[in-house]
Amino acid sequence: MSALLRTPLFPLYTQYEGVRCIDFGGWELPVQFSGIQKEHEAVRERAGLFDVSHMGEFIVKGEQAEAFLQNMTSNDVTAIMPGQAQYTFMCYPDGGVVDDLLIYKLAEQHYMLVVNASNIDKDWAWLQEHMVPGVNMTNVSAQTALLALQGPLSVEILAKVTGTGVNVDSIETFRFVQNAEVCGVELLLSRTGYTGEDGFELYVAAEQAAHVWNELMEAGANLGLVPAGLGARDTLRFEAKLPLYGQELSPTISPLEAGLGMFVKLNAGPFIGYEALLQQKNDGPARKLVGIEVLERGIPRPHYPIYADGVQIGEVTTGTQSPTLKRNLGLALIDTKYTALDTPLEIEIRGKKLKAQVVKTPFHKRTRASKTPTQGAEQA
């Protein structure tokens, strides 16, 4: 077996007594530092700091860069300005998803793509397969670390360590500042995240990541900042109904089935998968992603079958006991005719069929007044 990959921050993990690492898509990453419930609550109420340096980053530039990305992705690349990020999909011709990703427009005809860790090689090959003259692409994943500071106190913490040239709170959602001075280091500072809370993602040179991590932890010490692992990241994104590639999105699950049609701009011109998604929109998806609640004692887990009228109509994509709401909730991809709120369902758990029903999503929505679009591409 090949050795697991490690992020530049791996040597810091040992300073936390409760840290527990797992194999996550070939990476040795912390599932928790002090406990998933504690870390989840910290992000909802105060702040948490995540190491997500396993994510991939590609630089795409050249005179045909915009046209190339417009053909490769489902959203409208021509609509974003320098300093703006966009959530989007790469699709197969049949409408299934190669990956969900973020596109950062660094300058005219100059972009950074942020892709899921387990899809780095696949995405690179897919983009290279469709490469055109006038585009240059560089994989900078190994040179780039990524820290995510998330939670309602993230602005206050970050403001302590950010240079006078940047007003942290003035950065709008899905906007970013290049060459921002944070902890004495120049980095790309983005108001994005994958938790359903306010927060920032910091793209920093790998060799400077440990310094930035330690400085941020020190700055947030008296505000309750905690290091947070993949376990809390998953429960946080789940409560906010943010998709996980390989569960809510996959080569066999389209963005329209996942309820993410707002990021598929069929009026912006053709892209790979356009015809299939146009047909699916016109016909109406046969399946739809919904929220479910188990009404008896049992926790929904991925791939547990869902039944209605005595037949299987779909399966769970993600499920857990919500740390915030203390309810047994799940996301499930099911036959569209059973997706109305309060529709009675059954879920099979360890050979027994338990009562469930369709419930409203997202399960958690932060109280901040300004609107927040779906955040993030992540992450298997």
Side-chain angles (χ1 to χ4, degrees):
M1 292 179 63
S2 59
L4 295 177
L5 299 169
R6 293 175 172 179
T7 79
L9 292 173
F10 184 87
L12 299 185
Y13 299 165
T14 55
Q15 67 184 299
Y16 304 102
E17 288 186 7
V19 69
R20 182 164 69 86
C21 291
I22 61 169
D23 179 350
F24 184 79
W27 290 80
E28 188 172 1
L29 296 172
V31 67
Q32 66 177 49
F33 287 90
S34 55
I36 294 172
Q37 178 80 36
K38 178 180 177 181
E39 294 163 24
H40 180 107
E41 291 176 351
V43 174
R44 287 278 182 255
E45 299 170 7
R46 300 178 303 279
L49 185 61
F50 301 83
D51 174 16
V52 282
S53 302
H54 58 299
M55 299 290 284
E57 294 86 16
F58 305 156
I59 301 297
V60 179
K61 58 184 177 179
E63 60 184 15
Q64 294 299 316
E66 181 181 88
F68 172 65
L69 293 176
Q70 190 77 350
N71 179 59
M72 296 302 299
T73 62
S74 67
N75 211 328
D76 186 4
V77 179
T78 68
I80 57 176
M81 304 173 292
Q84 186 175 1
Q86 182 184 80
Y87 180 64
T88 190
F89 308 101
M90 290 193 296
C91 293
Y92 292 106
D94 66 0
V97 179
V98 180
D99 203 2
D100 63 331
L101 63 149
L102 290 176
I103 298 179
Y104 285 78
K105 187 169 184 177
L106 306 178
E108 295 300 330
Q109 303 290 1
H110 189 183
Y111 302 87
M112 179 174 70
L113 312 187
V114 183
V115 303
N116 289 309
S118 65
N119 290 339
I120 291 174
D121 292 342
K122 179 184 73 172
D123 290 357
W124 180 266
W126 180 255
L127 289 161
Q128 289 289 346
E129 181 182 336
H130 297 89
M131 186 55 62
V132 296
V135 179
N136 178 264
M137 194 165 75
T138 309
N139 185 349
V140 297
S141 304
Q143 295 84 48
T144 308
L146 176 55
L147 283 60
L149 177 65
Q150 301 283 296
L153 299 185
S154 57
V155 169
E156 187 175 346
I157 294 167
L158 196 57
K160 291 184 175 185
V161 292
T162 301
T164 56
V166 177
N167 179 348
V168 171
D169 200 29
S170 70
I171 303 172
E172 297 179 12
T173 305
F174 270 64
R175 300 297 194 276
F176 63 92
V177 177
Q178 295 185 73
N179 304 315
E181 185 185 318
V182 180
C183 305
V185 172
E186 285 195 354
L187 49 78
L188 189 153
L189 178 61
S190 172
R191 200 162 196 168
T192 47
Y194 191 58
T195 61
E197 296 296 334
D198 192 13
F200 299 84
E201 293 180 309
L202 296 80
Y203 297 85
V204 58
E207 63 272 16
Q208 296 172 320
H211 168 75
V212 174
W213 174 279
N214 287 330
E215 291 289 306
L216 285 170
M217 287 303 304
E218 184 177 340
N222 64 348
L223 294 173
L225 175 65
V226 303
L230 295 175
R233 198 155 190 260
D234 191 51
T235 56
L236 290 158
R237 71 91 194 164
F238 163 73
E239 289 184 345
K241 201 191 177 185
L242 301 178
L244 176 66
Y245 187 85
Q247 292 182 213
E248 283 72 46
L249 295 164
S250 77
T252 60
I253 304 174
S254 80
L256 302 186
E257 292 175 317
L260 296 167
M262 66 184 294
F263 305 105
V264 177
K265 298 298 192 294
L266 294 169
N267 60 351
F271 53 86
I272 297 173
Y274 170 88
E275 292 82 3
L277 292 172
L278 179 62
Q279 182 74 46
Q280 192 174 97
K281 182 178 181 180
N282 290 338
D283 295 344
R287 305 179 297 174
K288 185 178 177 183
L289 190 73
V290 298
I292 63 164
E293 180 171 8
V294 181
L295 303 177
E296 300 182 76
R297 189 181 180 93
I299 297 176
R301 300 296 186 192
H303 306 301
Y304 282 9
I306 303 290
Y307 295 86
D309 296 333
V311 298
Q312 185 175 347
I313 59 164
E315 66 176 28
V316 176
T317 59
T318 301
T320 190
Q321 182 179 81
S322 162
T324 301
L325 303 172
K326 313 302 183 189
R327 293 159 54 196
N328 295 336
L329 301 171
L331 296 172
L333 189 66
I334 64 174
D335 187 314
T336 299
K337 65 183 177 183
Y338 295 99
T339 56
L341 287 179
D342 301 323
T343 298
L345 305 169
E346 289 184 308
I347 178 172
E348 185 176 330
I349 300 179
R350 290 186 292 277
K352 297 178 66 175
K353 289 183 180 177
L354 305 180
K355 292 179 181 179
Q357 67 179 14
V358 177
V359 295
K360 185 178 179 181
T361 57
F363 305 118
H364 169 83
K365 189 178 291 186
R366 67 188 174 105
T367 55
R368 186 183 176 201
S370 62
K371 64 179 181 179
T372 305
T374 294
Q375 300 177 48
E378 181 53 31
Q379 310 223 168

